[in-house]
């Protein structure tokens, strides 16, 4: 089955720790995205990548880092510099056309203890 | 700057009713508009995508319309069922990203 997988489903972090969220896709999509979802605020873009070894900051990139070494993978690291990391994190992918339709993974819920 | 608004924020209806969910956007120069469904604690499922040249799209009991001149899209759900209970989000692309509304949380009770 083609799709997007995210792991883990739930993640707990102590203050001061870095954690990495996994996102893998087998849709052969070039573009991948990370969004953060908070109650009542909708989805906000953290980082995106249109091609391997290239990525751009979104609207709320501070305190986060990414890498894109493989087409299929786009891991997100939440660093200790992110002051309020508790949220639901969603990964998406698309074919980078002028009118992209994005497909989403199941999400990772991160909680800071 | 594109802003997307969804009204109402929440809706609770009895089973069988026909529903209309609204999505408004401030910049009418859009490429497309996408409707998603999100179940609690889950990812987003794409329901319908309307291209800028189209007026509506249909999938089963769902019909989405697009009026670019007025900056509005509506999602029509016919004969609602308890299984339709979820949050519905609309989004439109701006350069390399999607701009999302805050969603309409729908509850359909038996």
């Amino acid at each position: 089955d083609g799709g997007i997988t995210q792991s883990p489903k739930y993640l707990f972090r102590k203050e001061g720790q870095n954690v990495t969220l996994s996102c893998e896709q087998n849709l052969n999509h070039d573009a991948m995205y990370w969004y953060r979802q908070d109650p009542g605020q909708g989805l906000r873009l953290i980082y995106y990548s249109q091609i391997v070894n290239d990525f751009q900051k979104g609207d709320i990139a501070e305190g986060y880092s990414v890498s894109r070494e493989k087409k299929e993978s786009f891991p997100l690291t939440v660093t200790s510099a992110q002051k309020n990391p508790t949220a639901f994190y969603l990964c998406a992918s698309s074919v980078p056309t002028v009118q992209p339709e994005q497909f989403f993974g199941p999400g990772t819920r991160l909680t800071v203890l | 700057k594109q802003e997307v608004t969804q009204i109402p924020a929440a809706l609770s209806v009895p089973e069988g009713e026909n529903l209309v969910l609204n999505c408004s956007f401030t910049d009418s120069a859009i490429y497309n508009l996408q409707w998603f469904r999100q179940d609690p604690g889950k990812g987003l499922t794409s329901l319908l995508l309307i291209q800028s040249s189209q007026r509506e799209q249909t999938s089963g009991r769902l019909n989405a319309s697009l009026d670019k001149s007025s900056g509005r899209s509506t999602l029509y759900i016919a004969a609602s069922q308890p299984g339709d209970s979820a949050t519905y989000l609309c989004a439109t692309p701006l350069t390399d990203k999607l701009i999302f509304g805050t969603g309409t949380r729908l509850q359909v009770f038996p």
Side-chain angles (χ1 to χ4, degrees):
Chain A
D1 288 336
I4 304 174
T5 58
Q6 291 185 243
S7 62
K9 185 175 182 179
Y10 300 99
L11 187 57
F12 298 91
R13 190 194 92 169
K14 294 181 181 180
E15 287 192 11
Q17 282 184 335
N18 293 351
V19 291
T20 297
L21 284 59
S22 171
C23 178
E24 305 276 335
Q25 55 98 1
N26 61 5
L27 300 169
N28 200 33
H29 286 170
D30 287 306
M32 297 186 74
Y33 310 81
W34 274 106
Y35 292 90
R36 170 179 171 143
Q37 187 177 32
D38 296 279
Q41 293 195 41
L43 277 74
R44 293 180 291 170
L45 183 66
I46 305 171
Y47 268 98
Y48 64 101
S49 169
Q50 298 283 22
I51 197 168
V52 173
N53 293 323
D54 187 44
F55 48 83
Q56 288 79 38
K57 294 182 179 180
D59 299 318
I60 56 166
E62 184 175 354
Y64 300 97
S65 66
V66 294
S67 63
R68 187 84 189 276
E69 298 177 0
K70 299 186 301 181
K71 186 176 185 179
E72 301 80 16
S73 178
F74 191 39
L76 173 74
T77 295
V78 184
T79 74
S80 58
Q82 172 48 239
K83 299 305 179 186
N84 186 22
T86 295
F88 190 52
Y89 290 86
L90 288 160
C91 178
S93 70
S94 73
V95 177
T97 64
V98 174
Q99 303 183 9
E101 180 177 7
Q102 292 190 14
F103 299 88
F104 283 78
T108 292
R109 182 164 299 282
L110 173 62
T111 303
V112 174
L113 303 175
Chain B
K1 179 182 177 182
Q2 179 71 279
E3 295 182 0
V4 180
T5 306
Q6 292 186 247
I7 295 174
L11 188 61
S12 183
V13 299
E15 181 177 11
E17 283 204 1
N18 299 324
L19 308 172
V20 175
L21 307 182
N22 296 298
C23 173
S24 300
F25 44 93
T26 53
D27 186 348
S28 62
I30 62 172
Y31 288 123
N32 63 45
L33 190 130
Q34 196 168 357
W35 281 94
F36 295 90
R37 168 185 172 138
Q38 185 177 30
D39 293 288
K42 305 292 185 182
L44 276 63
T45 300
S46 181
L47 297 174
L48 292 164
L49 182 143
I50 313 174
Q51 305 289 358
S52 60
S53 58
Q54 298 175 318
R55 294 296 298 266
E56 64 179 77
Q57 279 282 356
T58 299
S59 176
R61 294 182 294 108
L62 305 179
N63 175 277
S65 66
L66 177 64
D67 184 345
K68 289 174 55 179
S69 62
S70 66
R72 292 179 62 182
S73 176
T74 60
L75 179 66
Y76 178 81
I77 304 176
S80 59
Q81 303 171 358
D84 294 329
S85 298
T87 296
Y88 291 80
L89 297 155
C90 64
T92 188
L94 178 65
T95 58
D96 296 325
K97 62 183 180 183
L98 283 179
I99 306 298
F100 283 86
T102 53
T104 294
R105 189 172 66 253
L106 172 67
Q107 182 181 10
V108 181
F109 53 90

